[in-house]
Amino acid sequence: VWGDIYTYWNSESNANSLGAPVGEPREFSTPHGSGWSQDFEQGAIQWNGSDGYVSVRSGAIRTEYVRRGWQAGPLGWPVAEAEDLEGGGSRQRFQGGTIVTSEHGTFEMDGEMEALWNKLGGASGLGYPLTNAAWFPQNGGGYSIDFERGSIAWTSSHHAVSVPSGAIRTEYVR
């Protein structure tokens, strides 16, 4: 471990909680920009220059991030540390979206759907996601994500809209 990755790894906020290094720092050039990554026993430290140093710790978020192609995938580089959410879940933000994990599973959100979820109170509003975005071909096509207390649908003509739980959603689903 050397340079700025060492400084970040050895900082008070990390206090070596990532464990010992398990590989050398590696440089990556991706569609989302260039940067460095180094793996540790409990996660990785990644740096892309514009967003600074961020760790991606072991667990459900990292597993989903790896499944989606790391920094070379559609999520790109991490832009913030994972944060705890109300109700026991957590999320981590990336250049191309956010991974949210809870007792219901681990799912990815991005764009207008994520912005509307945040605007509606996030985990304390619509609740945690229950699905990833699913494509629906009807009526011109679009995407939908189900949450504990409603859904968000997105179409290119109407953009993101919410269908909250209750009689209207029940009839809409029916």
Side-chain angles (χ1 to χ4, degrees):
V1 183
W2 47 268
D4 290 336
I5 289 179
Y6 172 78
T7 302
Y8 185 80
W9 172 67
N10 201 41
S11 69
E12 184 177 324
S13 63
N14 283 318
N16 295 323
S17 63
L18 287 167
V22 296
E24 295 292 322
R26 297 177 316 240
E27 187 172 16
F28 291 91
S29 181
T30 75
H32 308 286
S34 297
W36 290 83
S37 180
Q38 184 166 4
D39 291 328
F40 295 83
E41 293 170 320
Q42 301 300 317
I45 294 175
Q46 296 190 315
W47 175 81
N48 74 340
S50 62
D51 297 310
Y53 291 90
V54 177
S55 63
V56 181
R57 308 212 180 239
S58 295
I61 290 175
R62 182 180 168 142
T63 299
E64 185 66 10
Y65 183 51
V66 169
R67 189 182 79 73
R68 291 179 177 272
W70 286 87
Q71 62 272 11
L75 288 168
W77 295 89
V79 298
E81 295 287 336
E83 60 184 299
D84 293 333
L85 299 173
E86 181 180 309
S90 61
R91 73 173 162 197
Q92 187 158 8
R93 295 171 191 218
F94 300 85
Q95 290 172 321
T98 297
I99 296 175
V100 178
T101 190
S102 73
E103 64 185 15
H104 302 292
T106 304
F107 305 101
E108 184 267 338
M109 286 187 285
D110 59 19
E112 290 180 43
M113 296 173 90
E114 178 187 2
L116 183 56
W117 180 71
N118 287 321
K119 182 179 177 181
L120 295 172
S124 60
L126 279 179
Y128 285 103
L130 304 175
T131 64
N132 282 310
W135 170 255
F136 58 91
Q138 301 85 355
N139 302 316
Y143 291 90
S144 177
I145 298 177
D146 291 330
F147 296 87
E148 292 174 291
R149 294 180 286 282
S151 299
I152 293 177
W154 179 91
T155 66
S156 60
S157 60
H158 294 97
H159 301 281
V161 295
S162 170
V163 181
S165 293
I168 292 174
R169 183 170 189 266
T170 300
E171 183 62 21
Y172 176 69
V173 170
R174 189 178 72 71

